[in-house]
Amino acid sequence: MGHPTTVEKSQSVDRLGFVTRLPGIVSRPGPPHASPAPRPRGDPEAMTEPAVTPELVAKHNLTPDEYARILEILGRAPSYTELGIFSVMWSEHCSYKNTRPLLKTFPTKSSKILVGAGEENAGIVDVGDGLAIAFKIESHNHPSAVEPFQGAATGVGGIVRDIFTMGARPVAALNSLRFGQLDQPEVRRLFAGVVGGIAHYGNCFGIPTIAGEVYFDKSYEGNPLVNAFCLGVLRHSQITRGAAHGIGNPVFYVGPATGRDGLAGAAFASQDLTEESAEQQRGAVQVGDPFMEKLVCEACLELLATGAVAGMQDMGAAGLTCSTCETAARAGTGIEIELDRVPQRAPNMSSYEIMLSESQERMLVVVHKGREEEVKRVFDKWDLPWSEIGVVTDSGRMVVRHHGVVVADIPAAKLANDAPVYYRNAQEPAYLAEVRSFQLDGLDDLADPATTLKTLLAWPSIASKNWVYRQYDHMVRAGSVVCPGSDAAVIRIKSDSLPPAAAGSPPDPDRPEKLVAFTVDCNGAYVFLDPYEGGKIAVTEAARNLACTGAVPLGATDNLNYGNPHNPEIFWQLKESVRGLAEACRAFNAPVTGGNVSLYNQRGALGAIDPTPTVALVGLVEKPEYVTTQWFKDEGDTILLLGEPVDAADPLLGLGGSAYLQAIHGRKTGSPPRCDLDQAKTLHTTLLGLIQAGGIKSAHDCSDGGLAVALAESCVSQLIGRQTPRLIGATIDLAAAFPESKRIDALLFGETQSRVVISCAPKDATRILERARLLGVQAARIGTVGGDRFTCRTAAGEFTIPVADLHDGWWNSIARAMAAS
């Protein structure tokens, strides 16, 4: 195929190999073993790359020590292009240089893990019968803050590519979103743009966005969080590696032409977000084309089935730079590419721009030599731009040529794997002293529970997110079993969900279908108030959501969103919450299969976000009859509570950090509820056993808003058609079940952990209660399903509310806020 002619502006590096002088670094000639310096071409006056100065190094977010390390690796001064390459590959987004020691503390092994954390673009877990799932979560926070629609859209596109580059067909997506308070016009603009971008990309690509969470808190006002998750399915035999195997194998580029959009996006995501940087880096936000991505996906999956592919990698963060050096590093080989062969849609692109561009929907494919024509036929069939741009070598180096001249020559493994690692100072934040001193003594007990319940149900972080998910197609591919609105989503892995079978593979029609459940959770307020307990709670709530759905956890993927790690207090938040996450993942046998770290989430005077370690958990439902949803089912059913109504050992009785304290009293303080992992695990295994034994009609976990909110949601959350809810009332008697409760606010709205509301037929209630207690779980009968009102009696009296009124505030709250002028 033809390629546009490019003209690059560059400048030669000192031909004697003298390095640029930086403070504390002595200029010296390169040693005899140094790699050859990139050579100039043509008229020197036509090649004016910026001189590599200390100021330019600093602009690339490289420290003097890091620059000295680059000099040591190269044995000479880098060219401008090489400086850019190191800056993106050694950014936090690509190298995890501030967090790698912490990430190593996560559990990453189990008998189900086929591809583990850090090995490839996504983890892969066995689900039985020769089938596997690939899944991962990643952030697109900074781009979404600058250009919400495209930032969020390309976040979806990037995570989808991470899945099909593993050889898996993407079949489901979810997201975790955080914004400031909805009474701010700018927050509403960002919120609408992000949701629109996610909907556009997912709907056009044809993947169901089937679950997620949305929180609103002032801490995210200047820096929203957009974490996107994708899950794909494949056979064990179809696992593809992102490695440049086979000396002499050709390297193909496939996808749209490279432009200047997304330039150095990885580096942009690895620095504080300021008004100045946001404006300057608007070009670092990529522009996505979901229809092109669909073509690329189908072509790559078809190509993989031919057996012609030796390795494949998407051009995500750091674009062509990352895909070339990482594939070579994984295989222990080298790679040489010619930039003149890279399709370009902008004139006069420099080698720096081509290598660092993050234009979307592009893939790098290493092909077995001699099978090039098969590859070309597949790409031509799908009407995709392609080009053979390079070759795998035995040099161990990433060599880049432009107009016949070497513009970069770097040891691939050193670039990909030897980024500096930092052990940052950690210091407990000063604000925690005030948090821990908070007591309930000065907080009056509840006076009007009915009004409080309605207020909490309409609070945007608790209210129905239907304004969000109604914009998503969550039924495409016809595999959705439990759609948005319950504790966890469930999909079927059907035979037609799998990628094309390789030649000689057995037929699939008789292969059993699998039911996969997944959810995403994190209460940022809890993590802010106690990072360790908050980290444990994030995993535990996700595991509880799976248990309520009838699923056993298989694995986890996390997205660690924090402020600047150079601040010892922020790094302490990160360190402590990772400790909690790791402990909880071990407790639930949910190894971490991969994920993402997003630091520098802060903006000027607004400060850092609440620490937000988002956790997505994936589980397996063994039989269709085990699938359970959160809403009450039938008139006359008995309502039971599994778990303690209030944790008496907690001085704040579950009110610390609660939605009640924030929404009703305007205070985000107090130590959050204790998370006893042994108690939680006992509850989960007991609940799963009860579901599998039959008789459980609904199960809903108690989390934000406490018991009263969980009960109300069980009355109003079933949707039987578009904008058509099925409402059913309940009569609750907490006075009879828990006569010794000291505070009504704690009983109704406290967020004591490890509690689940379940319902069953009256005839099964006694058996279920006895079984739960026998297994060590406190259980009580608390009410009956039926009628059109929510009635609740406590020791302080009784209140009753029409279910339709509860539903109105809960269902319409966000839509009304978004309609505000």
Side-chain angles (χ1 to χ4, degrees):
M1 64 178 293
H3 306 287
T5 301
T6 61
V7 178
E8 178 195 6
K9 295 181 179 180
S10 63
Q11 183 181 20
S12 64
V13 181
D14 189 324
R15 296 182 185 180
L16 297 178
F18 284 95
V19 303
T20 302
R21 183 181 296 275
L22 284 173
I25 301 175
V26 179
S27 297
R28 62 191 186 280
H33 63 272
S35 63
R39 302 187 304 277
R41 66 165 194 284
D43 181 3
E45 295 299 318
M47 314 175 306
T48 52
E49 279 192 349
V52 178
T53 65
E55 292 75 21
L56 188 65
V57 171
K59 284 183 178 180
H60 282 74
N61 290 326
L62 292 165
T63 68
D65 286 343
E66 289 170 345
Y67 184 73
R69 189 165 184 165
I70 293 170
L71 298 178
E72 183 179 347
I73 289 171
L74 294 178
R76 55 172 172 78
S79 68
Y80 178 54
T81 298
E82 289 172 326
L83 184 70
I85 288 171
F86 273 102
S87 78
V88 293
M89 289 306 299
W90 285 10
S91 67
E92 178 65 31
H93 192 80
C94 291
S95 72
Y96 305 125
K97 59 188 178 185
N98 293 294
T99 53
R100 202 180 305 171
L102 297 179
L103 300 180
K104 290 181 178 180
T105 66
F106 283 133
T108 58
K109 305 293 184 182
S110 85
S111 60
K112 300 288 187 180
I113 300 295
L114 301 178
V115 176
E119 294 181 33
E120 293 287 348
N121 296 282
I124 297 182
V125 178
D126 175 31
V127 293
D129 297 305
L131 300 181
I133 52 175
F135 57 90
K136 189 182 181 184
I137 192 169
E138 280 208 346
S139 64
H140 234 218
N141 301 337
H142 281 32
S144 299
V146 175
E147 292 285 354
F149 184 93
Q150 288 295 352
T154 51
V156 174
I159 196 64
V160 167
R161 285 195 304 279
D162 277 341
I163 298 306
F164 71 74
T165 195
M166 299 299 301
R169 178 178 293 285
V171 295
L174 63 74
N175 52 73
S176 174
L177 311 177
R178 301 290 195 285
F179 300 91
Q181 295 169 327
L182 276 179
D183 59 357
Q184 300 296 314
E186 175 64 7
V187 171
R188 295 197 295 271
R189 183 188 73 85
L190 291 171
F191 182 34
V194 165
V195 173
I198 292 170
H200 168 72
Y201 208 100
N203 294 354
C204 293
F205 180 85
I207 187 171
T209 303
I210 195 171
E213 62 170 358
V214 188
Y215 275 84
F216 301 91
D217 186 274
K218 188 172 183 177
S219 80
Y220 306 107
E221 189 171 310
N223 203 129
L225 302 185
V226 178
N227 295 174
F229 166 101
C230 186
L231 181 144
V233 300
L234 71 166
R235 304 168 183 86
H236 290 193
S237 60
Q238 293 177 314
I239 295 174
T240 302
R241 299 286 182 168
H245 289 297
I247 308 304
N249 279 342
V251 177
F252 277 73
Y253 169 119
V254 62
T258 295
R260 292 189 172 98
D261 57 310
L263 192 62
F268 172 46
S270 302
Q271 58 182 297
D272 287 356
L273 185 62
T274 65
E275 298 302 325
E276 181 182 6
S277 71
E279 189 58 37
Q280 290 176 347
Q281 295 294 336
R282 203 165 293 277
V285 180
Q286 307 93 330
V287 178
D289 181 350
F291 299 108
M292 175 63 77
E293 178 128 317
K294 178 64 172 175
L295 296 177
V296 173
C297 175
E298 296 301 333
C300 287
L301 293 179
E302 181 176 326
L303 182 61
L304 288 170
T306 68
V309 175
M312 187 163 66
Q313 173 88 349
D314 78 299
M315 296 187 207
L320 192 55
T321 290
C322 188
S323 58
T324 49
C325 75
E326 284 192 350
T327 53
R330 288 188 186 121
T333 58
I335 194 166
E336 292 190 10
I337 60 172
E338 295 277 357
L339 296 188
D340 292 334
R341 299 182 182 179
V342 174
Q344 297 157 51
R345 66 170 180 266
N348 302 326
M349 289 188 69
S350 68
S351 56
Y352 181 99
E353 292 171 327
I354 298 170
M355 290 301 294
L356 270 63
S357 169
E358 293 183 9
S359 294
Q360 295 290 284
E361 292 88 39
R362 303 176 302 158
M363 301 289 289
L364 192 80
V365 184
V366 180
V367 176
H368 290 298
K369 189 172 179 60
R371 305 191 67 175
E372 294 90 339
E373 292 308 312
E374 294 176 67
V375 174
K376 296 172 184 178
R377 281 196 298 271
V378 171
F379 290 154
D380 286 343
K381 169 189 169 181
W382 290 97
D383 198 23
L384 287 171
W386 59 265
S387 178
E388 185 176 336
I389 66 169
V391 65
V392 178
T393 70
D394 62 358
S395 69
R397 309 185 72 83
M398 181 181 80
V399 178
V400 182
R401 290 185 172 84
H402 200 189
H403 299 313
V405 174
V406 174
V407 294
D409 184 355
I410 306 171
K414 292 283 186 183
L415 176 61
N417 303 327
D418 284 8
V421 176
Y422 296 107
Y423 296 82
R424 298 292 179 194
N425 292 328
Q427 177 181 321
E428 182 176 291
Y431 70 81
L432 287 180
E434 182 179 349
V435 165
R436 292 167 183 156
S437 67
F438 175 77
Q439 297 180 355
L440 297 179
D441 296 348
L443 196 72
D444 291 337
D445 201 354
L446 197 61
D448 187 356
T451 299
T452 299
L453 177 57
K454 288 192 287 186
T455 299
L456 281 172
L457 285 171
W459 195 49
S461 290
I462 288 179
S464 168
K465 306 308 183 293
N466 73 89
W467 184 88
V468 175
Y469 65 71
R470 74 189 183 200
Q471 299 183 52
Y472 304 154
D473 187 339
H474 45 265
M475 295 299 293
V476 65
R477 302 196 60 84
S480 304
V481 177
V482 178
C483 293
S486 194
D487 283 324
V490 180
I491 61 166
R492 287 185 300 149
I493 299 180
K494 307 176 295 177
S495 58
D496 64 359
S497 297
L498 295 166
S505 296
D508 288 317
D510 296 330
R511 192 190 299 266
E513 290 186 348
K514 301 294 180 180
L515 293 167
V516 175
F518 46 98
T519 185
V520 60
D521 283 291
C522 179
N523 187 319
Y526 285 172
V527 186
F528 173 74
L529 298 170
D530 188 329
Y532 171 65
E533 291 293 332
K536 288 196 296 181
I537 289 172
V539 177
T540 302
E541 184 180 346
R544 193 163 62 245
N545 285 337
L546 291 185
C548 287
T549 309
V552 177
L554 291 173
T557 176
D558 60 77
N559 206 135
L560 306 178
N561 305 276
Y562 296 82
N564 192 321
H566 297 268
N567 181 333
E569 293 190 347
I570 287 175
F571 194 76
W572 187 89
Q573 292 174 335
L574 173 57
K575 184 177 180 180
E576 283 297 290
S577 55
V578 165
R579 182 166 70 95
L581 293 172
E583 283 189 20
C585 285
R586 288 189 185 91
F588 298 110
N589 193 25
V592 175
T593 64
N596 176 241
V597 177
S598 176
L599 305 183
Y600 306 95
N601 288 291
Q602 54 191 66
R603 193 163 187 166
L606 295 171
I609 63 165
D610 282 355
T612 310
T614 304
V615 177
L617 231 60
V618 179
L620 192 65
V621 184
E622 294 182 3
K623 296 181 180 179
E625 56 266 33
Y626 295 164
V627 174
T628 309
T629 49
Q630 72 179 38
W631 41 84
F632 294 143
K633 302 301 187 296
D634 300 306
E635 296 269 348
D637 281 350
T638 299
I639 302 170
L640 309 176
L641 175 66
L642 301 182
E644 298 179 358
V646 177
D647 181 3
D650 177 1
L652 301 184
L653 304 175
L655 290 173
S658 65
Y660 169 77
L661 206 59
Q662 294 178 64
I664 305 302
H665 294 278
R667 304 183 69 176
K668 183 165 66 176
T669 190
S671 297
R674 298 182 311 122
C675 181
D676 184 319
L677 293 175
D678 290 333
Q679 184 181 46
K681 189 172 182 179
T682 299
L683 172 69
H684 298 182
T685 55
T686 298
L687 177 58
L688 283 168
L690 293 172
I691 289 172
Q692 293 172 1
I696 302 294
K697 291 188 176 183
S698 72
H700 184 26
D701 84 307
C702 295
S703 55
D704 299 341
L707 176 58
V709 166
L711 289 165
E713 288 174 337
S714 299
C715 293
V716 302
S717 56
Q718 184 177 11
L719 196 65
I720 58 175
R722 181 175 174 81
Q723 302 287 67
T724 308
R726 175 182 178 267
L727 308 181
I728 191 167
T731 300
I732 308 298
D733 189 349
L734 299 179
F738 313 115
E740 298 180 359
S741 295
K742 295 179 180 179
R743 290 187 65 115
I744 302 305
D745 53 3
L747 177 61
L748 292 177
F749 305 115
E751 296 174 7
T752 292
Q753 295 296 292
S754 298
R755 298 179 299 164
V756 173
V757 171
I758 63 174
S759 66
C760 62
K763 65 181 179 63
D764 295 322
T766 300
R767 171 180 61 83
I768 290 170
L769 286 169
E770 291 176 350
R771 180 66 177 168
R773 291 165 182 162
L774 182 65
L775 293 171
V777 173
Q778 184 172 333
R781 192 188 310 254
I782 62 172
T784 304
V785 176
D788 61 0
R789 304 181 73 84
F790 179 83
T791 300
C792 182
R793 188 167 73 90
T794 69
E798 180 178 294
F799 67 94
T800 183
I801 312 170
V803 174
D805 289 355
L806 294 178
H807 178 267
D808 177 65
W810 175 77
W811 183 262
N812 295 310
S813 174
I814 292 178
R816 287 170 180 153
M818 293 303 291
S821 58

